Amino acid sequence: MRRRSLGITAAWALWLALGGAGCEDQRFVIGLLAPGQGGGGGAPERPRFEAPTAMTELNSSEREEDPTLTDDLLEIYFMSDREGNRDIWTSRRAAVGSPWDPPHAVENINLAESIEDTPCVSGDGLRIWFYSTREPEGTWLAERASRDDPWGTPAHVDALAVEGATVMGAHVDPPGLHVVAGVTPADAETYLAIASRERPEDDWSALTPLAGLDGPGDEGGPFLFDDGKQILFRASRAGGGDLFWAWRASAEAAFEEAAPLEEPVNLPGERDTDPHLSPDGSVLYFASTRTSVADLYEARRAAP
């Protein structure tokens, strides 16, 4: 992977430009100096994380994937097939560090006759995008007036459809101006595509391939941040699937060569996927098959 020196010897630090987490309303910059520490521009360092721990209150004996959290990290959504069908489940907790409440299937979103998968909740918890096999299959959006209200009737996001392909895992970036999703054409590998808009209330442009990330195997599970300059995603380039990170100089440039996250996040022969970063970038949430079935995990940012 190509890197550009920051020309510094100070400790690794994180700069947070605007608070919040989830799928919109915040920016991340990982690996840059904090304000006032000096240094110059250039590519940030690839993020490093400590050994992950299982989110035991949320996991079951069946498959759990696709964690997505609100800004305050007190509400989580994820896919589970613990009841024999891929549905979207949710849980809350009283404070960061407190145990999660027993999870339950999300009302008004899951349908018994269809699959619901790959949720992405907005930072304020008032919008949720997800994949569904209901007619028409693809990306759907549900909204609610407050986090104490039930979700409204979902609507299909027509602009995020690609003819002859399945579109899954839509992730709306922090400002709400870009969405990245996995596109799987018939009899072809999944690639990452991006759509944009000038304002959050505008319609999306057509999905187009995300330049610089199409390698051998397929790519999916994107998490775009830092004003579109950094991305985490899953790629099957080295076996069952690993988490990768990539950077580009601007939201209009092609990405530099992607690099896998280091162990112990990625484990050889396991499928590690579906990354989501906490508001300050200090915690990575993801799914992994390291216990033979996909479970949810969290990993703390490693010290320099």
Side-chain angles (χ1 to χ4, degrees):
M1 180 183 68
R2 289 172 287 176
R3 294 184 178 179
R4 301 177 185 179
S5 173
L6 292 175
I8 61 171
T9 59
W12 182 93
L14 174 76
W15 175 70
L16 179 63
L18 185 65
C23 299
E24 55 186 352
D25 303 329
Q26 95 286 351
R27 300 188 183 104
F28 299 90
V29 177
I30 291 181
L32 292 181
L33 286 176
Q37 285 191 294
E45 290 295 319
R46 175 177 42 172
R48 296 172 53 249
F49 297 91
E50 297 175 352
T53 58
M55 303 177 73
T56 55
E57 302 103 328
L58 305 177
N59 293 327
S60 71
S61 60
E62 303 301 324
R63 182 166 55 125
E64 277 77 43
E65 294 181 343
D66 307 302
T68 176
L69 293 88
T70 51
D71 281 355
D72 55 14
L73 302 182
L74 301 184
E75 190 172 3
I76 187 171
Y77 291 82
F78 58 97
M79 186 285 297
S80 177
D81 64 1
R82 67 186 68 192
E83 292 189 347
N85 192 47
R86 283 153 57 190
D87 289 324
I88 296 172
W89 286 61
T90 187
S91 176
R92 294 186 180 187
R93 57 183 173 180
V96 174
S98 297
W100 291 98
D101 295 336
H104 60 86
V106 180
E107 297 179 355
N108 298 342
I109 287 182
N110 297 311
L111 295 179
E113 64 274 15
S114 65
I115 288 172
E116 279 70 48
D117 207 343
T118 62
C120 172
V121 69
S122 63
D124 59 12
L126 302 184
R127 291 162 300 283
I128 187 168
W129 294 264
F130 62 96
Y131 166 80
S132 179
T133 58
R134 72 189 73 185
E135 189 63 33
E137 178 181 348
T139 302
W140 290 70
L141 169 64
E143 300 181 87
R144 60 185 178 182
S146 77
R147 285 167 63 172
D148 292 325
D149 290 323
W151 290 103
T153 302
H156 185 257
V157 186
D158 297 338
L160 300 183
V162 176
E163 186 175 358
T166 299
V167 179
M168 292 185 66
H171 166 76
V172 180
D173 76 340
L177 302 181
H178 300 91
V179 58
V180 180
V183 179
T184 310
D187 302 321
E189 295 175 333
T190 302
Y191 64 89
L192 295 179
I194 188 170
S196 304
R197 57 188 179 186
E198 294 185 0
R199 300 173 301 173
E201 59 269 24
D202 293 342
D203 291 334
W204 294 106
S205 66
L207 284 164
T208 58
L210 200 51
L213 298 182
D214 191 15
D218 61 10
E219 293 84 23
F223 187 94
L224 186 70
F225 58 103
D226 185 16
D227 289 332
K229 296 193 292 291
Q230 297 190 62
I231 191 170
L232 292 165
F233 64 99
R234 174 197 54 80
S236 61
R237 300 174 187 178
D242 285 326
L243 293 178
F244 279 71
W245 168 85
W247 174 88
R248 58 184 175 178
S250 71
E252 292 73 37
F255 276 97
E256 302 278 334
E257 182 180 356
L261 297 187
E262 298 175 349
E263 292 188 42
V265 170
N266 287 327
L267 288 184
E270 301 297 340
R271 184 176 185 267
D272 302 299
T273 186
D274 306 326
H276 179 98
L277 283 175
S278 67
D280 60 1
S282 66
V283 183
L284 173 69
Y285 301 89
F286 68 105
S288 176
T289 60
R290 63 193 64 202
T291 56
S292 75
V293 64
D295 282 330
L296 303 182
Y297 288 83
E298 57 183 334
R300 297 279 172 182
R301 188 185 75 213

